[in-house]
Amino acid sequence: PEGRPIPPDWRSNDHWFQHIAIVVSDMDKAYHHLRQHKIRHASTGPQTIPATNKAAAGIRAFYFKDADGHNLEIIYFPQGKGDPRWQQKTDKLFLGIDHTAFVVSNTQNSLKFYRDILGLKLAGESMNYGPEQARLNNVAGARLHISGLRASAGLGIEFLEYLAPRDGRPAPKDTRANDLWHWQTTLSAASVETAVRSLRGSSGRMVSPGIAKAFDRNLGFTKGFLARDPDGHGLQIIE
């Protein structure tokens, strides 16, 4: 059945929020390219993290929306910032996906889930605030605690905890996998049975009634299940 569309009044500090960060080699050219295709702004325009934020100084970013209203980000890493692979010389404009980021209500609770239960490692943290951050997120007075996590391989996961304002709305409890605001981050596990046992003793919850087997080898996995983290973000755990 068809799912529900993304409500037009949802904001970047609501707990449902998630995006993927697409790395670009030149922010001005990438922004011009998106403007030519009449994308819908979520930020007022590209923003540069100021020098006062040493962890992220010089990084440039811009939020926009796809045709269904999902948030996407283009991000530019200057020398010395981000994964070294994004600094390699290339004639490409769009280089790849660096991470997915989502709003969390409490960083420590999310670390207990993603780090202590799922095994990701905390790779870095920063406090982001000021007019540039407010324009990037399109949230007045935005002050964020940002935490980056990594696994042994693959993309990163980033927590966005809004220290201000604190009026972000929780994800709808009746969210279904076919609702257009549903995102799911795929994590590969050595054993999905072990992952299920760990999840059932945590603040997350199962969505699938059990472990599902995949009979199509082209999917790249043999079995898996869908779950939600403490804030309701979707996770697909596969083996």
Side-chain angles (χ1 to χ4, degrees), residues 75-155:
I75 187 167
Y76 166 78
F77 292 108
Q79 287 292 328
K81 303 291 183 182
D83 192 307
R85 66 189 170 126
W86 305 129
Q87 307 298 339
Q88 297 176 9
K89 290 188 176 181
T90 177
D91 57 356
K92 293 182 179 179
L93 183 55
F94 297 94
L95 306 182
I97 300 171
D98 181 73
H99 64 269
T100 183
F102 46 75
V103 172
V104 300
S105 57
N106 184 285
T107 298
Q108 291 306 313
N109 288 346
S110 293
L111 282 173
K112 289 177 182 177
F113 184 79
Y114 283 93
R115 180 190 62 193
D116 302 342
I117 294 174
L118 298 184
L120 278 71
K121 296 184 182 301
L122 181 62
E125 297 180 277
S126 68
M127 298 291 288
N128 289 27
Y129 56 91
E132 299 85 4
Q133 194 67 40
R135 291 192 293 264
L136 176 63
N137 302 107
N138 205 8
V139 175
R143 184 182 183 91
L144 284 75
H145 177 194
I146 298 178
S147 306
L149 292 89
R150 292 278 173 178
S152 58
L155 311 179

Side-chain angles (χ1 to χ4, degrees), residues 22-35 46-48 58-62 64 73-79 86-96:
I22 303 161
V23 184
V24 299
S25 58
D26 186 304
M27 176 58 73
D28 293 331
K29 287 182 179 179
Y31 179 60
H32 178 70
H33 177 80
L34 295 176
R35 288 291 303 273
Q47 303 297 319
T48 303
I59 293 175
R60 302 188 70 194
F62 169 68
F64 62 103
E73 177 186 40
I74 52 172
I75 187 167
Y76 166 78
F77 292 108
Q79 287 292 328
W86 305 129
Q87 307 298 339
Q88 297 176 9
K89 290 188 176 181
T90 177
D91 57 356
K92 293 182 179 179
L93 183 55
F94 297 94
L95 306 182

Side-chain angles (χ1 to χ4, degrees), residues 192-211:
V192 291
E193 286 84 1
T194 301
V196 166
R197 289 194 294 270
S198 298
L199 188 75
R200 283 178 172 157
S202 74
S203 54
R205 61 183 175 89
M206 292 281 291
V207 173
S208 304
I211 295 171

Side-chain angles (χ1 to χ4, degrees), residues 207-229:
V207 173
S208 304
I211 295 171
K213 292 184 178 180
F215 296 101
D216 185 347
R217 292 182 178 273
N218 293 322
L219 291 174
F221 63 95
T222 57
K223 48 188 172 180
F225 64 92
L226 193 65
R228 295 199 179 279
D229 73 6

